[in-house]
Amino acid sequence: MADKHTQNYQKVPLQVTHGYLVASIQVYLDEHMLAGFRDDLLSEIRDSDIDGVILDVSGVSIIDRTSFASLMKIRSMISLMGTRSVLVGIKAGVAASLIDLDVDLSRVDAVLQLEDAFELFDGETGHLETIEEEIDTEPDEEQVALIDEGAIEDE
Amino acid sequence: MKTNELRFHIASEFDVKLAVLQAGKFASAIDSNETVVQKIMTTVSELAQNIVKYAGVGHIHVRKICRSDIVVIEIIAEDTGPGIRNIELAMGDNFSSGGTLGLGLPGVKRLMDEFHIESNAKDGTSVTAVKWIHDK
């Protein structure tokens, strides 16, 4: 156990597919592994011309508060480097546990399968337009007030 | 009462990982439901990390207990660290929700079916968390 700080962490395969970087995380997420992964990932982003990072966690059986926070930090770093990222394939038990642990999910983007991640990134612009339209059609408080006044006048 | 037990000495992150993975194997041999197994692994991880972070050293026991009506998996985390000064506060969601601050004990309570904690400055902390396994 003397060499535990010097041992290499289990490498996460990084592969560029359709212009996106796919990281297939299939190992236990400890601090050491996550630090090595973060460094490898950020250098890969710096060195390759990619349009997004796909973090495939379908092989991860446990994400606790600490490793979840580390993953979110890595996502923030990816974002600071000017690219986007998405989590793919969170297991049912991991999702259920994260809800029980009450972690902050407000910044989580996740899809079920790898293909969904490609689709999300490919169609991201269209996707954003749809959301804006939805917001536009929602009546604000003033409009609601006007409608209410109109109803009174009708009587 | 029949028991079947694992015991881990916890003093480093490496010990945490070992306990989590072994507890996962242990639990999956008793219950094939992946979600139950993952919740047990998450509980062991949270409790073991608290030991490393706040007490430095301690133990985790994982055991199967056959009660008269049900089989359960019991996780006990104990240490002789400084103890939790205000248990009520530590069990309140405001104290520990969001991020990695606090002990995450309300989360562990939600992950499991039974939860009991004893803590004082003299003896340290002992957390008992039990998961009910339905298919006996």
Side-chain angles (χ1 to χ4, degrees):
Chain A
M1 236 186 270
D3 66 342
K4 77 185 177 204
H5 294 295
T6 53
Q7 79 195 2
N8 287 325
Y9 83 96
Q10 282 172 280
K11 289 267 181 190
V12 171
L14 300 174
Q15 200 182 6
V16 179
T17 315
H18 304 311
Y20 306 121
L21 183 62
V22 182
S24 307
I25 310 171
Q26 306 288 336
V27 294
Y28 179 84
L29 306 179
D30 62 27
E31 213 175 292
H32 189 65
M33 173 271 155
L34 282 161
F37 169 57
R38 178 198 63 212
D39 293 348
D40 286 354
L41 185 69
L42 297 184
S43 341
E44 189 66 32
I45 292 170
R46 188 193 60 211
D47 297 339
S48 4
D49 182 26
I50 49 136
D51 283 331
V53 178
I54 295 167
L55 300 168
D56 180 357
V57 292
S58 59
V60 178
S61 295
I62 169 194
I63 301 179
D64 66 4
R65 290 187 311 152
T66 311
S67 47
F68 179 78
S70 300
L71 276 177
M72 290 302 110
K73 272 187 195 160
I74 291 174
R75 288 200 62 209
S76 298
M77 292 176 199
I78 296 170
S79 164
L80 279 172
M81 290 188 73
T83 193
R84 53 199 168 165
S85 64
V86 65
L87 289 170
V88 177
I90 296 181
K91 285 182 189 241
V94 171
S97 298
L98 287 173
I99 294 296
D100 282 346
L101 292 174
D102 198 25
V103 300
D104 179 12
L105 297 167
S106 59
R107 283 167 49 244
V108 177
D109 299 300
V111 291
L112 194 57
Q113 285 173 352
L114 208 52
E115 287 71 28
D116 304 332
F118 294 136
E119 263 174 46
L120 175 74
F121 281 168
D122 284 342
E124 193 123 76
T125 323
H127 174 72
L128 284 175
E129 276 167 8
T130 318
I131 291 170
E132 276 163 16
E133 273 167 27
E134 275 169 18
I135 291 165
D136 283 346
T137 54
E138 201 136 356
D140 57 23
E141 273 178 26
E142 273 181 37
Q143 281 173 321
V144 172
L146 286 171
I147 292 163
D148 285 344
E149 278 170 27
I152 293 163
E153 276 169 21
D154 281 345
E155 279 177 57
Chain B
M1 201 165 63
K2 233 174 30 182
T3 62
N4 189 352
E5 183 168 355
L6 292 178
R7 186 172 191 272
F8 304 99
H9 175 78
I10 304 291
S12 71
E13 218 204 335
F14 182 82
D15 298 332
V16 176
K17 175 181 175 176
L18 193 75
V20 170
L21 295 178
Q22 293 287 331
K25 260 188 209 167
F26 181 82
S28 54
I30 297 163
D31 189 346
S32 55
N33 182 328
E34 210 186 11
T35 298
V36 169
V37 173
Q38 282 159 2
K39 286 191 172 193
I40 287 168
M41 290 170 84
T42 308
T43 298
V44 171
S45 182
E46 291 288 335
L47 294 176
Q49 289 201 58
N50 280 347
I51 290 176
V52 175
K53 219 160 146 185
Y54 299 103
V57 63
H59 290 93
I60 297 268
H61 304 259
V62 182
R63 55 180 180 163
K64 173 187 172 185
I65 302 172
C66 298
R67 294 182 180 167
S68 59
D69 51 342
I70 197 172
V71 176
V72 304
I73 294 178
E74 180 187 71
I75 298 163
I76 299 175
E78 50 190 13
D79 63 64
T80 52
I84 300 166
R85 219 171 297 163
N86 187 336
I87 293 180
E88 226 171 282
L89 191 68
M91 290 310 298
D93 259 319
N94 292 334
F95 181 68
S96 55
S97 71
T100 53
L101 289 171
L103 302 165
L105 294 176
V108 170
K109 190 176 178 182
R110 280 188 293 266
L111 283 166
M112 305 295 277
D113 295 309
E114 293 171 25
F115 182 92
H116 180 72
I117 180 165
E118 271 174 45
S119 186
N120 60 61
K122 191 172 133 277
D123 306 314
T125 303
S126 170
V127 175
T128 305
V130 172
K131 193 80 190 161
W132 299 336
I133 306 299
H134 298 280
D135 36 68
K136 188 170 179 176

